[in-house]
Structures are given as C-alpha cells and as structure tokens.
Amino acid sequence: MDRKILYVIGIGPGSPEVMTGEAAAALRESDLIVGYPLYLSLLGPEYDEKEKLSTGMTAEVERCQMALSEADKGRTVSLICSGDPGVYGMAGLVLSLKEGYPGVKVSIIPGVTAATAGAALLGAPLMHDFAVISLSDRLTPWEKIEKSLRAAAEADLVIVIYNPESKGRAGYLKRACDILLDILPPERAAGTAERIGREGEKAWTGTLAELSERQADMFTTVYIGNSTTLIRDGRMITDRGYGS
Amino acid sequence: MDRKILYVIGIGPGSPEVMTGEAAAALRESDLIVGYPLYLSLLGPEYDEKEKLSTGMTAEVERCQMALSEADKGRTVSLICSGDPGVYGMAGLVLSLKEGYPGVKVSIIPGVTAATAGAALLGAPLMHDFAVISLSDRLTPWEKIEKSLRAAAEADLVIVIYNPESKGRAGYLKRACDILLDILPPERAAGTAERIGREGEKAWTGTLAELSERQADMFTTVYIGNSTTLIRDGRMITDRGYGS
C-alpha cells in the first residue's frame, strides 16, 4: 500500500464550516498537518491532537519541501492553504518540487477561494466575466500588474483584487484605483470583503472613487464592478444579462 | 422568529464530498430544495426525503421566483446551483427579484467553483492572475466575449473558459481558440477538465493548437495558460514567480 501521500488542501476563507467534506476527510486521515501558523489556528478544535509543523509566511519553498520530505518518510501529510490551494497558493510549487520525491503521490484538494466567498458576502458581483489580479509585487513586476488592471478595465471585466496591501506595500490599493480611474468612471460600483468567515468579518460597498481613499490589508478582497454592476440595499449586484 | 429564509447554495462541481459543511447544514435545515433536475440528482441520498421542485435549464427567472415565493410562505428554502452560486449562477437574479418579497431573508452560501476544482484536477494552472470568461452568447453579445478573450490574452492572463459549447453552440471553442491564436503561440499550454467530480471525470492537457481541434460541452471547463505555464508529467503548472 502506498502511504506516501501529500494532500495540498484549500481550507476555504476562514471558518471551518466553509471547508469541504473532502478536505476535512483528508485532514482526519493525515499523520501531520503543515501550514502557516494562522491557517493552522483556523482549523478548529477537531484537529487539536494532530501533529503540526509550520514555517513563516514567506518561507513557501521550505514549507513545501518540508511537507514533501515528511510524506516521503511514509507518512500521510496535509499541507494547508487558505482559500483554494491553486489560486496564489502552494499547489504549483509542490508540483514543481515533486520531482525530487518520485515516490510521493500529490493530491490537490480544492477549496472555496476568497473571490467567491467575498462575493457571497457582498451580494453577487461575479455574475459576469471577471479577472482575478494580485497586487503583490513580491514575485511579479508592478508593470505586469498594471497591464493586467488596464486590460481588465478596458474589456469591462469585473475585477477581483487579491493581496491589495500589506505592511510593506502601503498605498498599493490607491495606486491600483488611480490606474483604473484612468479608464473607469469614479462612480463605478466597488466593494471590499474583509476577514471573510473570521472574527472581524466586514463588508463595504461604494464607488471606485471612494475605494481609492480606503485602506486594506492582506485579509481584504477587493471588487470593482463592470458597467452593469449596481449597489442595491448595500449589496453589489452585476447583471447576468436577464435585464433585471 | 423569522422563518422566511432562502439559501442560495453552491453545491460544488459534482460529488457531494466537495460540498462545504455550511451548504450541507443549510440543505438539512430546509423544508424545500429547488433546482435544475441534474443538480438535484447530484445531492446524494442524504436529501432523498426532502421535498424538491425543479424547472428547466433556461427557466432561471421562474426558478428564482418559485424559490422566493415558497420562502415567502414561511418556509426555509434552498435554491441550489452547481459550483458557486455567484459565478454565472442564480445569486444575482435572486437578489434582483428579492424586491418583490421584502420579508424573505436571502443568504448566499459559496461553493467550490469549476475554475478551481478543474484546476486541482489538471495541476495548478491558476497560480497567477487569470480571467474567467463564459462563451455562452445567450445573454451576452459575441463581440463582448471576443473582446474579453483578446484583452486577457494580450495581458498574459491565464484564461478559464466556462460554457465552451452546447448543442446549440457547436464550434464555439474552436472560434475562441482561433481568436486566441491571433495573439498567442500555437504551443501555448492548454487543458480541459470534464465532468469534475462526476461519473466520466476526465482531464486533458496539450497545446492551444490541439485544443482548437477538440470538442467540448457544457460540462467542460477549459484552461489556456500564460507565458510561464508548462505541461509536466501531464500536469498543467503556471509559475507563481518562484523561478521553479
């Protein structure tokens, strides 16, 4: 029996109820759970007795190596990511590093990503075509990020922004909004979802001009509507084309 | 106590294990489950005893009205969508029609959308910025779809295509690929995920040129990589920027 299994798991945006049954089953089956400390703490008491290993936020390569190497010892290991492991998560890195561990079977288990969890909190902003863009320039040149923002706005796509700001990247959301305001009207509908499913969960809706004056952090997901998006009773709704 | 509750639920791509705990709890609590017959059949035996109501695939307005009107009678109702209810689902329409039912509380419950479930099946194509585009021109002019495809390709976004073809829209995937081939090289990595989590689940990876010769249906999700995406051991992996 092949016991060298590494599950790369999306635990969803925060609260344990938004995890899938498949993710919960993989965690229960695991000998070891590897992850960033905050995400380990979000798992809830059910997994308190499990052995856990963690690394710092930016130590992604070490974290993936650690998980692969522990699985290679014959253990069943789960590497957890917030949201979905395939959206700015660890799935790609694990698959790239897997070459060094030919005996390990990697299984990617999807989760609810912040784009759709935040959309549910705000209303229904993603009813039409959309682009998901990260403002983090730690691994991507800012020029490329700017090009993506412009292209999405010019094509009238709804825009979802991940990682809008962090301590080291203050003012990035304003920078992005200023680029979008070159193309889009200031009254364009916008919204933010903060700490989705966690303590301090908060939804805000308003205009793109107002958004450009707001602050955000790594736990905020930002939405800019397309030309049909409206704010109604505080909810952000993009028309699917039913003409409603 | 307010009993007039309408849950708009994403059941995930297919298999009941990919449903979240929150979605399962809402279904258990419901007096009535409303949905398209195929999605009702995907729920699994746990909900066999629940009262169910269904309408045809294109009868979205009727389905939402029916769900709102049943909730307005004081019942707890679940309206189910495949994937996530906020991604080309019923969430927007329900919120738009809600005005006629001021006493009904609508709660949107997110699910795992096909973009991320299919990505997990294929590897990790969505590790960088991406656009989600539907090829259905039932509610959107084709010119707008074409503009979105071109903008995404020009900005080097990974592209996820929903609803690539249907019986009435044969050849649409080829049409989309031909547009992309104006901008992208024929060897660009591509993949498809069919019937994710259901009987007949199938993953395919290859090139954009090969993709343009393939057929798809409403149960296929299509991926076109960005300039860093590779196919390795049959898996589609987009570089997050770790240089791996």
Side-chain angles (χ1 to χ4, degrees), chain A residues 14-34:
Chain A
S15 92
E17 308 94 71
V18 188
M19 202 188 292
T20 68
E22 185 185 33
L27 286 172
R28 281 195 298 270
E29 188 196 321
S30 294
D31 302 309
L32 172 71
I33 305 177
V34 180

Side-chain angles (χ1 to χ4, degrees), chain A residues 88-89 127-130 132 140, chain B residues 88-89 127-130 132 140:
Chain A
Y88 310 114
M127 295 306 298
H128 215 289
D129 302 340
F130 61 96
V132 174
T140 304
Chain B
Y88 310 114
M127 295 308 297
H128 214 289
D129 302 340
F130 61 97
V132 174
T140 304

Side-chain angles (χ1 to χ4, degrees), chain B residues 85-122:
Chain B
V87 177
Y88 310 114
M90 297 287 97
L93 193 52
V94 167
L95 292 176
S96 297
L97 296 169
K98 191 195 161 314
E99 272 187 2
Y101 307 86
V104 176
K105 184 178 175 289
V106 172
S107 176
I108 316 278
I109 298 185
V112 173
T113 186
T116 71
L121 191 65
L122 289 174

Side-chain angles (χ1 to χ4, degrees), chain B residues 35-95:
Chain B
Y36 178 63
L38 173 66
Y39 304 154
L40 289 172
S41 76
L42 289 171
L43 288 179
E46 195 182 337
Y47 311 99
D48 274 355
E49 302 304 310
K50 293 277 181 188
E51 187 183 335
K52 300 194 184 77
L53 265 175
S54 63
T55 65
M57 188 64 165
T58 56
E60 292 95 346
V61 176
E62 292 85 331
R63 206 181 313 150
C64 293
Q65 292 278 18
M66 187 191 272
L68 281 160
S69 144
E70 289 296 322
D72 202 37
K73 293 177 186 163
R75 313 180 76 186
T76 299
V77 179
S78 281
L79 174 64
I80 61 166
C81 304
S82 74
D84 181 274
V87 177
Y88 310 114
M90 297 287 97
L93 193 52
V94 167
L95 292 176

Side-chain angles (χ1 to χ4, degrees), chain B residues 72-218:
Chain B
D72 202 37
K73 293 177 186 163
R75 313 180 76 186
T76 299
V77 179
S78 281
L79 174 64
I80 61 166
C81 304
S82 74
D84 181 274
V87 177
Y88 310 114
M90 297 287 97
L93 193 52
V94 167
L95 292 176
S96 297
L97 296 169
K98 191 195 161 314
E99 272 187 2
Y101 307 86
V104 176
K105 184 178 175 289
V106 172
S107 176
I108 316 278
I109 298 185
V112 173
T113 186
T116 71
L121 191 65
L122 289 174
L126 304 184
M127 295 308 297
H128 214 289
D129 302 340
F130 61 97
V132 174
I133 299 170
S134 167
L135 295 193
S136 172
D137 60 355
R138 186 161 70 89
L139 301 167
T140 304
W142 178 260
E143 295 66 36
K144 188 166 163 50
I145 297 169
E146 178 166 342
K147 192 176 175 186
S148 298
L149 290 168
R150 286 188 187 279
E154 276 161 5
D156 198 24
L157 299 175
V158 178
I159 299 171
V160 186
I161 293 178
Y162 278 57
N163 310 315
E165 296 191 353
S166 65
K167 278 179 200 154
R169 292 186 295 105
Y172 273 46
L173 178 58
K174 182 167 177 45
R175 214 165 141 186
C177 288
D178 286 347
I179 291 163
L180 295 175
L181 283 164
D182 273 355
I183 302 159
L184 304 175
E187 63 275 17
R188 176 59 53 91
T192 61
E194 286 175 55
R195 293 172 172 65
I196 306 159
R198 306 181 195 171
E199 214 184 304
E201 181 182 85
K202 209 164 120 185
W204 170 87
T205 54
T207 67
L208 176 56
E210 288 162 358
L211 178 67
S212 76
E213 302 303 326
R214 291 182 69 84
Q215 292 193 323
D217 60 23
M218 291 296 281

